[in-house]
Structure formats: C-alpha cells, structure tokens
Amino acid sequence: MPPSPSPRPRRAEPPVRARGDACPGALRLHPAADGHLARVRIPAGDLTVHQARALADAADLLGDGRLSLTSRGNVELRGLPDGCGGRLAGLLHDAGLLPSERHERIRNILASPLAGLDHNTPADVRRWARRLDALLCASDSATALSGRFLFVLDDGRGDVAALGGDVTLIAESGITGATGSGGGALLRVGDDPAALRIAGPDAPRAALAAAETFLAAAAAGGTGAWRVRELPDGHRLSARAVAAALHAAGIEASYVADGAGASYVAEGARESYVAEGARVRAAASGGPAAGYADSSAPGIVEGRDGRRALSVLAPLGRLSVAQWRLLASVAADDGSGELRLTPWRGIVVPGLPAAAAAPRLRELAAAGLVTDPSSPWHRIGACTGRPGCAKSRTDVRADVAEAVEAGTPLPRGVPLPADPAPLPTDAASLPVDAAPLPVHWSGCERRCGHPHGSWIDVLATEAGYRVAVVGPEATPATPTTPKTTPTAPPATPGTPETRPE
C-alpha cells in the first residue's frame, strides 16, 4: 500500500530560516557518527546499469560496503573517510551522476516508478522527469532552491501525488491539455487544492516556472523559506500566482478550482485526484486506482508488451554491495539495462522476459531482498540508529531485526493494534482499508525518515520503547504502550546527524 499524505499541521506558524539547509549531497558530505555521509540525487530514481555499478564501487571502495535508499528514491553512502570527496566526485562524474555540480543537491525529482511498465500507464512522466532535470541543471536561478525542495510527477495512479511535493505534476491520460493537443497534466503547488491544467509537452517547463515563482515569493517573504509550505502569510504560493507566471512564460494554463473537473480532493485522511469522472485513489486511500499495479508492493509486474518488471524492497532501506550488484546483473543480463528506485526504499528492474521473471525473483529473495508483500519486513522502517547517529538512544536496526525474528513488527511483548484506533480526533476518517499501518522505529524524538500520513510510531526513550498510533496532521504525542526493557542511554553528543530522507 502506498504511503499516506505527509503529516503537516495546518496553519502552523511558518519557520524563520536564518541559514541555508544542511542537506548533504554528493559533494557536500555530512559528518556523521560512523564517518561521512553522501546523498546522491537520482532524479525519478532512474539508473543505468553502469551508474548502478559505479555506486556499488563507491560504497565498496570508499564507504561501509552498503547503500541506503531514501524516501525520495535517492542513494546514501555512509562510512566515508576524511578526504575522499574528490575521489567520490570523480566516480560519480564518470558515471554521469553529476551533470552539474552547482545543481547536484536540488535535483529532487520523484516520479511514479511503474510508469510505462504495467498495462495502464504511459511513460510520459519519466520523459517529463528527464526534461525537468535538464532544465534545472541549465537554470541559474534554480541553484537558489534548497536541498529539500521536491518535484513530484505522478502518472495518474495516485501513488506519489500525496507525498508532499512542492511542485506536483499529475498526468491526465486521454485528456487534452490547455492547447487542445496531446495528453495533459495538472500542476499543483504545496497544499493549494486548486490546480492548473496544462499541455503535457509544457509540463517540465511549467514545473520549473513554478519553482522560480516560489523563489520570488520566498525572497519577498523574508523568512528564508526552504519549501512552499513554509512561506509566511501574505506571500503564500497559489495556483493563481503560478498561472500568472506561466502566462508570462508563454505557457497556456487553465485554472481548475477545488472540486471541479480533474481536481484535488481532500476528505479528512483521504486525498485523491478525480480525473475523467473516475477517482484515482491516492496514497491515503489504501492502494492504486483500479487497474493500476501497486507500485509499493514487491513482486512481478506484468507489462503490456509481454515483458515483466521485478519489484523488490530492501529491508530497512539498506542493501549490501553484493545485493546491489546482483540487481545490476539481473538488469544487464535479462532486463532492459536500467533500474528504478522507489520512494518505498525499493528497486524495480524492468524489461525481463516472462520466462525469466520468476526464477530471477527467487534469486533475489535468496539474496535477502523482500520479494513478497507478506514478508514481515514489508512496511517496516527505521531511522539510522546507533552507531551511525550520535543522537540515537539505541541500535534501532538491531532491535527491529530482533523483533522481526520473534515474529512481530513491534518490540517484543507489545501487540500490533488490530485496527487504526486509537487515532487522534482529526484522523478519525482514516479508511478501514488503510490498516495495517506502516511501522516506524526511531532512536530519538526527531523520528527521521518516518512515513507520510498515519503510522505506528515506535520510539526509543530512556525508559524503553514506547508505541503510539500517529494520524495525519498530528504531531506524535503521548505513547500508548511502554516497552519494559530499557534502551541504552543517549550517545555522547557529537556532530548533529542530518535528517535522512
């Protein structure tokens, strides 16, 4: 089941940013408790086999021998030594993973990972992503975007549309754009329920124009906003403001008000898009639109051309170099020579012959990857924990492994709730089919990498783990159940760990 919309208190006081964001990149390494950390942006999660092997080489030669997947489909390398930045940059440059050093941290593009691979969707959003990335890398003004600003491109199935994009594009297959030619797209900014309908070919240019409009609003607001939702009152970005900017750029756009045409719909904990009179169920509603493959579920995806795609998940988002190289070999030998990273910390290998799909999936399962939705590792996440993060109270991942081995996604002795209750009052409309909820273990109150929407919150405290159910737009609050076994005391303070994606 895809994740729910991101929890974000409505009408919260916008933060005042006195500095630029500290997000790591491929060139700006972050000092962590286990060495330096590099975050390599992978726009739309698209990798060639050559690029995947280059990342494996970097992890093997310079890092701790593992690769971490983020909720934006990017890759993190950990355990990097002092003075390795130049060598790492060289490896990434040679693989085509650093097309522009000035823009490397702002290439945050998330796209529907199964676009063009199942029976129902075109590949347009993947083309949009490549074009948008090229436009970003050619834009001087875009360098002012923060490393947290996010572009989201949804192919119409609603799998990524609710994942908190600053600029979101939703493909409308079969609906003509504002110019009346070809497929169209809806463009949204932040949480504005209105949208702009534009022609598909204009979508990448319109997304960049929307981002540049945000930069102008952020400068005028004077609070150093990193993201659209952080803009202060009087400077908030709306679809109407972006429409004026698109018009000035020569891009035709028609305004779509909330609840009209192909509009964005929010119903308590539900968020969805309505297109061509049929609801495309988005992330919070428990699954993809009818006829669409579930892009968050592991397994075999059947394509229109008789080919197959393999979808696997990495337990807790971490892969060994050996697992990563095996995936690259499957893509090279039986697939189309590419891999796609997903926001659910998974990997899709497209283009396999039908006869090769099942044997290859078994091979990946034998290597320790999650290939079955019934796996106990499916829908369990965790922060980095010790020893990688100095702020963590315990080795979270080891504790998760112990719990899974004991047959539960929660600390031993704590039962999984049979339904989402008790939820905060403002999440009372959470659909029943959203259960069971994702489970996320955290070593401290920052809860780095937690899911969007509603989830079961497993928090390490000095007294032990505590478990609560967190709903959309609710701040994690008083835990419901304590774990009796105490965790380790907080680690000695050191260099603050950056928030993982």
Side-chain angles (χ1 to χ4, degrees):
M1 182 195 316
S4 307
S6 81
R8 192 173 297 110
R10 295 189 184 280
R11 292 182 289 275
E13 188 69 23
V16 176
R17 305 290 193 186
R19 58 171 178 79
D21 74 274
C23 282
L27 302 177
R28 180 199 284 183
L29 305 187
H30 175 80
D34 59 347
H36 291 275
L37 177 151
R39 183 176 297 159
V40 184
R41 267 65 175 187
I42 313 293
D46 286 344
L47 284 171
T48 65
V49 167
H50 174 61
Q51 290 172 332
R53 287 173 172 162
L55 288 169
D57 290 343
D60 199 13
L61 298 173
L62 303 175
D64 63 2
R66 303 186 73 83
L67 301 96
S68 297
L69 305 182
T70 79
S71 62
R72 292 184 170 190
N74 294 322
V75 172
E76 287 184 349
L77 305 174
R78 301 189 69 99
L80 299 169
D82 292 337
C84 75
R87 190 175 178 193
L88 175 62
L91 284 170
L92 300 179
H93 269 298
D94 292 346
L97 291 167
L98 279 179
S100 172
E101 293 189 2
R102 296 175 61 218
H103 300 81
E104 64 99 3
R105 291 192 320 115
I106 60 101
R107 301 169 67 222
N108 295 303
I109 303 174
L110 186 59
S112 295
L114 295 186
L117 298 184
D118 64 359
H119 288 289
N120 295 284
T121 57
D124 286 352
V125 296
R126 315 297 298 191
R127 292 196 290 269
W128 293 351
R130 289 190 289 272
R131 178 58 181 154
L132 174 57
D133 185 38
L135 291 172
L136 281 172
C137 290
S139 168
D140 287 334
S141 61
T143 59
L145 292 172
S146 82
R148 300 186 183 184
F149 194 92
L150 178 63
F151 297 91
V152 170
L153 282 61
D154 192 294
D155 67 358
R157 78 184 66 220
D159 59 345
V160 297
L163 296 188
D166 293 283
V167 176
T168 301
L169 293 170
I170 306 97
E172 292 188 289
S173 300
I175 298 180
T176 57
T179 62
S181 60
L186 292 177
L187 184 149
R188 292 188 61 249
V189 288
D191 291 325
D192 187 352
L196 300 175
R197 179 171 287 124
I198 56 179
D202 290 333
R205 219 164 37 104
L208 176 60
E212 291 172 338
T213 307
F214 158 77
L215 289 174
T223 59
W226 296 342
R227 306 198 63 186
V228 169
R229 295 166 187 86
E230 297 178 357
L231 291 170
D233 289 340
H235 299 278
R236 296 194 181 276
L237 198 58
S238 67
R240 289 196 183 279
V242 174
L246 297 186
H247 178 75
I251 300 172
E252 293 187 37
S254 58
Y255 183 81
V256 181
D258 182 23
S263 65
Y264 182 71
V265 177
E267 300 174 313
R270 294 178 183 266
E271 295 193 9
S272 53
Y273 284 87
V274 177
E276 301 174 64
R279 175 167 295 174
V280 177
R281 297 172 64 199
S285 62
Y292 290 78
D294 184 348
S295 57
S296 72
I300 297 175
V301 180
E302 296 185 6
R304 289 172 294 184
D305 56 359
R307 312 292 283 186
R308 302 289 188 268
L310 303 183
S311 179
V312 301
L313 302 175
L316 303 183
R318 292 274 277 169
L319 300 95
S320 67
V321 166
Q323 290 172 323
W324 186 267
R325 290 193 191 280
L326 175 58
L327 285 162
S329 294
V330 172
D333 297 340
D334 288 319
S336 59
E338 62 175 316
L339 303 93
R340 297 183 180 183
L341 309 183
T342 81
W344 302 284
R345 297 178 171 87
I347 307 96
V348 175
V349 182
L352 279 77
R360 282 299 208 174
L361 193 68
R362 289 193 293 270
E363 186 179 358
L364 295 174
L369 296 169
V370 179
T371 62
D372 188 331
S374 65
S375 166
W377 288 104
H378 187 211
R379 297 169 60 75
I380 298 180
C383 69
T384 296
R386 285 185 172 186
C389 177
K391 291 184 177 293
S392 181
R393 296 185 174 96
T394 185
D395 186 341
V396 177
R397 291 169 181 262
D399 293 343
V400 176
E402 179 184 348
V404 170
E405 186 175 347
T408 172
L410 300 178
R412 285 193 298 179
V414 179
L416 177 68
D419 56 58
L423 281 172
T425 302
D426 60 352
S429 59
L430 184 75
V432 174
D433 62 358
L437 299 174
V439 178
H440 188 77
W441 293 55
S442 303
C444 76
E445 288 75 6
R446 296 190 309 162
R447 296 173 170 88
C448 294
H450 70 71
H452 296 265
S454 297
W455 81 93
I456 297 172
D457 179 49
V458 182
L459 174 66
T461 72
E462 293 186 17
Y465 279 108
R466 295 184 179 181
V467 178
V469 180
V470 178
E473 302 173 10
T475 301
T478 304
T480 58
T481 311
K483 176 190 173 186
T484 56
T485 305
T487 60
T492 302
T495 304
E497 176 80 346
T498 185
R499 282 185 180 271
E501 293 179 348

